[in-house]
Amino acid sequence: MGFSLILIFILVSCIFFDLLSPTYGYDSLDPNGNITIKWDLRQQNDGTQDILVSIYNYQLYRHIEPPGWKLSWKWSGKEVIWDMRGAEATEQGNCSQYLGKPQLPHSCEREPVIVDLLPGTPYNMQVQSCCKGGVLSSFTQDPANSMAAFQMNVGSIETMPYDFKIGLPGYTCGNATKVPPTKFVIDHGRRQTQALGTWNITCTYSPFLASSAPKCCVSLSSFYSKTMVPCPICSCACQGEPGSNCVRHGQLHTVSRLPQNEQAPPMVQCSTHMCPIRVHWHVKLSYKEYWRVKITINNLNVVKNYSQWNLVVLHPNLQSLAQVFSFYYKPLNQYGSINDSGVFYGIEHYNDMLLQSGDGGNVQTEMLLHKDPGIFTFKGGWVFPRKVIFNGDECVMPSPFEYPMLPNSSRFFGPSKLCFVILFVLFSLIL
């Protein structure tokens, strides 16, 4: 009976920790990350209201790529959008009831879909922080470009709209919540005005909702071992599975001739792992007080470039990072003095664009890490990362039992194998 209780405790613990996983929208490396939509009532006119909508990306390392956000909601009544600046509705809808008016509404849709204007929009259509084509930088990489805004004039709203959506895979938005009015600084900071009312809508991200399959994997190698550990087989998909389109090396030139504006389905180089992104971690050199690592990111997607890419690495020695070459680096510092994770990203106009598979379809850097006395070791795979995340998606890591080992060293007895043995013994005793 006692062994049965122990087994039940282990299973319940597994379920509890699984509930805290990123599958349910919680990210331990970015616990407060979200996209916040702010709805400000700026002015109430005779029968209409002026609304300022702002979108803030508070995620530390998840950014919004083209084609960008598509914000939508459902009106509670018969509201229409008379005019917009900084964005536009994709559909005007049926505005026939307003025939004879000096101007037809901008949109009469009950569920309007709003998109950002493109760069180069005429100035009389712009507002501050608009017109980026829906692209939002992560908060770590470029805070100034991590938000967007637009203005609209709407028929009087009796109650707030509902069912907000950001139009991005994996994101779920909550209900509008009334918060203290936003204050605006004007006249070079000498005067403050405030909104007549402010509501916040919070949108959170779940990798599982975005895609049930991983999108990247990690391979490992080291100067002290002849073993090169590849990405695990079928990390992202398996060849021959439905939907796992892949291109063989001799076919690359035909695919690359597709028009750049054509929305082609995802297509990657044929491989054993079938991932569009492969991250290779190579322990390159060992000096007296430092060790050197080379990181290479390969884009195996033959139809997509990755702009403003970033790479998050969890490693205990990052607290002693001495120098990074050809990448920017910022620590995450989410848990006080524990500095074991950080964000790598490209230098603007140099390597911030990861080109599609082919010539130039990779970016790489090297870094120096100081050997901390008492914790540094080449044994047991310590020099390899604990977790790697590309563009917000966690990469598949090789099994710890496959890590390159020092010559004449035995394989370490990892906790996952120990747990398996314990469970096997418990089952044996119960039966």
Side-chain angles (χ1 to χ4, degrees):
M1 183 66 181
F3 290 112
S4 300
L5 292 175
I6 293 174
L7 181 59
I8 293 172
F9 174 77
I10 293 174
L11 294 176
V12 171
S13 298
C14 291
I15 295 173
F16 173 75
F17 285 109
D18 190 49
L19 289 173
L20 296 179
S21 71
T23 298
Y24 293 85
Y26 177 79
D27 186 348
S28 60
L29 296 181
D30 189 11
N32 300 313
N34 65 73
I35 292 179
T36 297
I37 303 164
K38 182 173 287 189
W39 182 287
D40 287 312
L41 172 59
R42 294 299 307 273
Q43 189 172 345
Q44 190 146 0
N45 308 306
D46 185 16
T48 64
Q49 296 177 351
D50 291 333
I51 306 294
L52 173 66
V53 179
S54 306
I55 304 173
Y56 297 89
N57 182 14
Y58 291 127
Q59 298 175 112
L60 294 179
Y61 53 82
R62 287 188 180 91
H63 64 281
I64 310 305
E65 292 183 296
W69 52 266
K70 290 185 177 181
L71 181 61
S72 65
W73 60 80
K74 293 180 180 178
W75 293 116
S76 299
K78 298 181 179 180
E79 294 86 352
V80 297
I81 302 174
W82 285 99
D83 187 41
M84 293 196 74
R85 294 289 185 272
E88 61 186 358
T90 58
E91 298 284 344
Q92 185 182 34
N94 183 7
C95 296
S96 58
Q97 60 178 315
Y98 297 98
L99 290 176
K101 296 281 186 179
Q103 178 183 347
L104 288 177
H106 178 83
S107 176
C108 298
E109 288 285 290
R110 308 311 320 142
E111 188 175 354
V113 177
I114 313 299
V115 295
D116 196 8
L117 295 180
L118 298 173
T121 296
Y123 288 115
N124 63 342
M125 293 296 296
Q126 294 187 25
V127 297
Q128 187 175 359
S129 300
C130 83
C131 313
K132 304 184 183 79
V135 175
L136 296 178
S137 172
S138 67
F139 196 76
T140 297
Q141 288 175 259
D142 189 359
N145 287 310
S146 64
M147 65 90 63
F150 61 88
Q151 294 179 354
M152 57 183 178
N153 180 259
V154 184
S156 292
I157 304 173
E158 296 184 3
T159 59
M160 274 292 294
Y162 62 99
D163 197 14
F164 280 82
K165 298 175 183 175
I166 196 69
L168 300 169
Y171 286 88
T172 303
C173 300
N175 296 322
T177 303
K178 191 172 180 61
V179 296
T182 303
K183 293 187 177 182
F184 304 92
V185 178
I186 61 175
D187 194 18
H188 303 285
R190 298 191 303 170
R191 172 176 165 78
Q192 282 190 350
T193 61
Q194 71 178 42
L196 300 178
T198 299
W199 291 260
N200 278 358
I201 301 96
T202 302
C203 304
T204 56
Y205 178 80
S206 167
F208 182 77
L209 293 178
S211 174
S212 58
K215 299 178 182 177
C216 58
C217 64
V218 178
S219 56
L220 309 170
S221 62
S222 174
F223 71 90
Y224 55 73
S225 175
K226 295 181 180 180
T227 302
M228 192 283 208
V229 181
C231 287
I233 296 175
C234 294
S235 293
C236 300
C238 295
Q239 290 190 38
E241 286 185 347
S244 60
N245 298 323
C246 71
V247 179
R248 304 202 176 275
H249 185 71
Q251 301 173 321
L252 291 179
H253 68 283
T254 59
V255 178
S256 61
R257 289 174 183 165
L258 288 170
Q260 292 299 312
N261 59 355
E262 186 174 317
Q263 295 295 327
M267 200 171 294
V268 301
Q269 285 190 37
C270 294
S271 63
T272 58
H273 55 79
M274 291 295 291
C275 292
I277 295 293
R278 181 186 64 207
V279 180
H280 185 70
W281 179 283
H282 175 62
V283 182
K284 189 174 183 180
L285 292 167
S286 177
Y287 306 108
K288 181 179 180 180
E289 295 186 3
Y290 298 89
W291 58 293
R292 193 180 188 102
V293 175
K294 181 178 181 179
I295 302 176
T296 304
I297 307 173
N298 293 99
N299 182 6
L300 304 179
N301 192 333
V302 299
V303 294
K304 180 179 180 180
N305 299 328
Y306 292 87
S307 59
Q308 293 187 341
W309 60 268
N310 64 58
L311 189 75
V312 175
V313 175
L314 176 65
H315 191 287
N317 209 188
L318 284 179
Q319 62 184 346
S320 300
L321 181 62
Q323 190 172 1
V324 178
F325 304 92
S326 72
F327 283 2
Y328 286 130
Y329 172 80
K330 288 184 180 179
L332 289 178
N333 290 336
Q334 290 300 298
Y335 300 100
S337 60
I338 302 176
N339 181 14
D340 61 355
S341 56
V343 185
F344 297 87
Y345 55 98
I347 299 172
E348 189 176 6
H349 305 311
Y350 175 59
N351 58 1
D352 60 335
M353 174 75 76
L354 178 54
L355 300 177
Q356 65 190 48
S357 180
D359 295 337
N362 69 86
V363 291
Q364 54 190 355
T365 187
E366 294 188 9
M367 59 181 175
L368 289 175
L369 300 104
H370 189 265
K371 294 180 178 179
D372 290 339
I375 65 170
F376 177 82
T377 177
F378 280 120
K379 295 181 180 180
W382 186 90
V383 292
F384 298 109
R386 307 298 186 262
K387 181 184 291 187
V388 174
I389 299 172
F390 178 81
N391 276 3
D393 295 304
E394 186 171 342
C395 302
V396 178
M397 297 284 297
S399 167
F401 306 109
E402 299 175 354
Y403 283 11
M405 292 293 156
L406 290 169
N408 301 323
S409 65
S410 61
R411 296 286 173 178
F412 64 94
F413 201 68
S416 59
K417 191 172 183 179
L418 180 61
C419 288
F420 175 80
V421 172
I422 292 173
L423 285 174
F424 179 78
V425 172
L426 288 172
F427 274 116
S428 301
L429 292 173
I430 291 172
L431 297 176

